Amino acid sequence: MGTPKQFLFLELFMQLLRIAFGKNMVCYWDMKSSIGYRYSKFTSNHLIQGSANCSHLVYASAHFDAITFEIHFPQHDPPLPIFKPKTLKQSHPKLKVYLSLGGDDDANDKYDQLKYLHLMEGSEHAQQKFIIRTIKFLKLHQFDGLDLAFPLPRNQPSQQSNIGAFLNDVNRMWGSPTTTTQFSKFRPLFRKFLAAVKEACGRNNFQLTLTVLPNVNSSHYYDVSEIHKNVEFINLFAFDFNTPERNPNEADYSAPLYFNAQPRRQPYANVDFQVNYWLQNGCPGNKLNLGVASYGRAWKLTIESGLSGTPIVEDTQGPANFGKMKAHNSLLSWATICKHIPPRRLYGRPLMEYTDRYGNYAFRVANLNNTGGIWISYDGPKFAATKAKYAMDKTLGGVVLYDLSRDDFRGQCCGIDFPILQSIRKVLNVIK
């Protein structure tokens, strides 16, 4: 068993290798995708094929019990099939397979979020019990590392139709003395907790990474200048800023690359702001991976939404269904979206697609009977490559794709399997 100094030397050596020879291509895999039906089902063969293009594969997600601290995969009927990391590494010996703990699936209510805050505030005995259970679970399933993706409380969406509410929201999230006092205690608590997890992972030959979930305010919980020292890298999920659940009455870019200074937009709800926040507050660029989503968010358009489709689109009615493919929580995979963009046309009226410096969107206006209207924000293969180029220009550590199962893994649209993943890899110098 190596000493802490040996592990530190190994980590520094691996960082130098990444800087010299390539970037991280981190791929998330949602285990629930394996229970789909027909063409939406993501099989073990798809996982093996897709992960061949990744430097790291992250299983999403495991949860923990708030009382016993036992780690478990989400309960599901039928049970989720677990593809052993050992099986994957037989096909890809250099692939690093990590377990993500937390994620959006463990944030269904306030209680689920609070248990993560209570863990950070808990006694050293409670935290060590959690760490022991976690290490045991990693060993049992033969993972290479742990990814902490804590679903901490999120920023509340502004009432965008009310400029006064918007200004109050900005003040509340980014500088209000009351907010600063309320949340500042979590930064040292999380830093100390992360150091304890890192020490245990190092003793047991596991790597540790951190994922910042969408709309979690980094200034509340993360001491950016310090926590990067205890992780291999940080995955910044800079997407889902606007969704039909958060903003049901107005459709807008879900993951804009830059700030579009149009009234009512939040200045921090874009990739560029989030990346610069981490860099300017002391996180080395090579420790930061930019998150790209392989799915879109779909709003229902009405006759009152107009004909142009130019965001911000008003008078929407929350999440939309899309033909025979119903959008789950407004989420549509790229494989579903691309079938409706000309020249392809699966059924019904095709979508009109537009791209600008902020992002992609496609829409179809509502019929006279107020049906059939839909507006979708997404990152297709071309704009995913644009974001990868942005990550390269910022000298970031790489890109993280969420997730493999929502890419076009059957190559139904352009004849290429995993086109979003492949487009990112072409920009990054990834070692297979």
Side-chain angles (χ1 to χ4, degrees):
M1 183 175 294
T3 66
K5 287 185 178 180
Q6 288 174 323
F7 285 118
L8 177 61
F9 174 80
L10 178 60
E11 182 175 349
L12 291 174
F13 178 70
M14 293 303 295
Q15 290 292 342
L16 290 173
L17 281 180
R18 275 193 290 274
I19 294 172
F21 295 108
K23 299 292 184 178
N24 298 321
M25 182 65 253
V26 182
C27 302
Y28 260 72
W29 168 56
D30 183 352
M31 293 186 295
K32 296 190 303 301
S33 63
S34 60
I35 59 173
Y37 298 97
R38 300 186 65 187
Y39 294 108
S40 65
K41 185 171 183 177
F42 191 82
T43 68
S44 58
N45 289 334
H46 295 129
L47 183 61
I48 292 172
Q49 179 187 0
S51 59
N53 299 286
C54 311
S55 60
H56 303 73
L57 180 70
V58 184
Y59 280 41
S61 299
H63 304 159
F64 77 91
D65 186 276
I67 299 175
T68 67
F69 299 105
E70 290 289 345
I71 309 299
H72 59 88
F73 289 118
Q75 295 185 4
H76 199 279
D77 187 19
L80 296 176
I82 306 302
F83 303 130
K84 292 284 188 179
K86 182 179 180 180
T87 303
L88 279 173
K89 296 181 73 171
Q90 288 174 349
S91 301
H92 314 307
K94 295 184 179 180
L95 180 68
K96 300 299 182 183
V97 186
Y98 294 0
L99 174 70
S100 182
L101 181 60
D104 282 328
D105 283 349
D106 203 23
N108 295 321
D109 55 42
K110 190 174 182 180
Y111 173 78
D112 288 330
Q113 294 180 348
L114 287 177
K115 74 179 183 183
Y116 289 90
L117 296 180
H118 292 161
L119 178 63
M120 293 160 58
E121 296 177 291
S123 66
E124 184 175 341
H125 173 74
Q127 292 182 357
Q128 284 299 319
K129 189 175 181 180
F130 164 83
I131 292 171
I132 291 172
R133 299 285 195 275
T134 303
I135 295 297
K136 178 182 177 181
F137 194 86
L138 294 176
K139 289 180 177 179
L140 174 65
H141 293 279
Q142 300 176 305
F143 286 99
D144 296 306
L146 174 68
D147 173 63
L148 295 180
F150 283 6
L152 302 173
R154 311 301 174 87
N155 292 338
Q156 294 299 314
S158 295
Q159 299 298 316
Q160 293 185 339
S161 59
N162 184 317
I163 188 64
F166 164 70
L167 294 174
N168 290 335
D169 190 54
V170 171
N171 182 58
R172 184 176 71 249
M173 295 186 214
W174 298 95
S176 166
T178 302
T179 297
T180 302
T181 302
Q182 179 183 358
F183 289 99
S184 61
K185 67 176 182 178
F186 287 110
R187 290 194 292 269
L189 289 174
F190 187 78
R191 183 178 67 239
K192 182 179 179 181
F193 169 75
L194 194 66
V197 178
K198 169 64 176 177
E199 192 275 334
C201 285
R203 282 189 285 106
N204 291 276
N205 296 325
F206 293 120
Q207 286 286 357
L208 178 64
T209 64
L210 174 68
T211 289
V212 181
L213 295 178
N215 298 305
V216 171
N217 192 322
S218 296
S219 67
H220 288 172
Y221 305 103
Y222 306 124
D223 186 348
V224 174
S225 63
E226 293 294 328
I227 62 172
H228 69 85
K229 300 174 184 177
N230 286 315
V231 295
E232 181 185 3
F233 51 71
I234 297 163
N235 300 315
L236 184 60
F237 277 14
F239 48 81
D240 282 351
F241 296 113
N242 299 297
T243 70
E245 290 75 25
R246 291 174 61 82
N247 315 94
N249 301 317
E250 294 182 335
D252 201 1
Y253 303 100
S254 60
L257 183 52
Y258 298 104
F259 175 52
N260 183 347
Q262 182 174 332
R264 308 199 310 274
R265 280 205 172 98
Q266 300 166 328
Y268 49 84
N270 60 83
V271 170
D272 190 54
F273 182 98
Q274 297 295 324
V275 169
N276 286 332
Y277 174 84
W278 280 80
L279 296 179
Q280 292 168 7
N281 282 276
C283 180
N286 67 298
K287 282 287 190 84
L288 199 63
N289 298 325
L290 175 60
V292 175
S294 59
Y295 57 82
R297 294 291 187 176
W299 282 258
K300 181 181 179 181
L301 295 184
T302 66
I303 294 177
E304 287 74 21
S305 301
L307 302 176
S308 73
T310 304
I312 302 171
V313 182
E314 299 180 345
D315 296 306
T316 57
Q317 293 183 348
N321 291 330
F322 195 29
K324 298 178 181 178
M325 300 296 296
K326 293 186 180 297
H328 175 65
N329 293 333
S330 78
L331 188 154
L332 288 172
S333 71
W334 166 245
T336 298
I337 297 169
C338 67
K339 295 174 185 176
H340 296 261
I341 296 174
R344 296 183 60 88
R345 177 176 171 180
L346 184 63
Y347 45 75
R349 292 179 293 148
L351 295 170
M352 294 180 284
E353 182 183 29
Y354 293 87
T355 301
D356 54 31
R357 72 187 301 262
Y358 308 107
N360 274 346
Y361 62 92
F363 71 98
R364 186 175 64 202
V365 298
N367 295 319
L368 293 179
N369 61 359
N370 219 18
T371 62
I374 187 169
W375 194 95
I376 310 170
S377 176
Y378 61 93
D379 286 339
K382 290 183 180 179
F383 208 80
T386 298
K387 288 189 172 180
K389 177 63 165 53
Y390 172 90
M392 293 288 283
D393 292 342
K394 287 286 189 177
T395 64
L396 303 186
V399 172
V400 51
L401 180 67
Y402 189 88
D403 71 301
L404 286 178
S405 67
R406 295 185 175 99
D407 200 349
D408 183 13
F409 56 86
R410 293 181 182 271
Q412 299 176 85
C413 285
C414 57
I416 301 173
D417 297 340
F418 299 97
I420 294 180
L421 175 59
Q422 297 287 5
S423 69
I424 295 171
R425 282 198 72 256
K426 288 181 180 179
V427 178
L428 306 181
N429 180 24
V430 180
I431 302 173
K432 291 184 65 174

